[in-house]
Amino acid sequence: IGVRLVGSEMCKETEIDALIVEGAENQKYNIYNITGVQTLSGILNTKEINVTALQRGIYLIKIGDNTVKFIKK
């Protein structure tokens, strides 16, 4: 499973708009903030997960047995 960050340039920092997930079609995902609170969840119907609603911070995305950390600036 691969995860890429997609964003747009704003004020010298990259604003993350979406996560691109490859190799995990039709699997459940959960996104947690650094304190362990679940902030988003769903089923991967497409390769893209919109994360614009998330506040700045450190997050973990869990898909199956895989967990990846990402930072929303």
Side-chain angles (χ1 to χ4, degrees):
I1 295 174
V3 177
R4 288 186 293 135
L5 306 177
V6 176
S8 57
E9 292 295 322
M10 294 186 69
C11 302
K12 298 182 183 177
E13 292 187 12
T14 300
E15 183 70 26
I16 297 171
D17 297 322
L19 300 176
I20 302 298
V21 181
E22 298 174 336
E25 292 76 18
N26 299 317
Q27 290 192 42
K28 182 177 175 146
Y29 69 88
N30 294 302
I31 297 178
Y32 302 92
N33 65 20
I34 196 67
T35 62
V37 176
Q38 182 177 309
T39 56
L40 286 175
S41 66
I43 303 290
L44 286 166
N45 297 327
T46 65
K47 292 183 178 185
E48 184 175 300
I49 301 171
N50 185 326
V51 294
T52 55
L54 296 178
Q55 296 180 7
R56 293 178 179 186
I58 300 171
Y59 294 90
L60 300 171
I61 181 169
K62 181 170 175 145
I63 304 169
D65 293 333
N66 299 294
T67 303
V68 176
K69 178 177 86 170
F70 68 96
I71 300 172
K72 177 125 193 268
K73 295 183 179 183

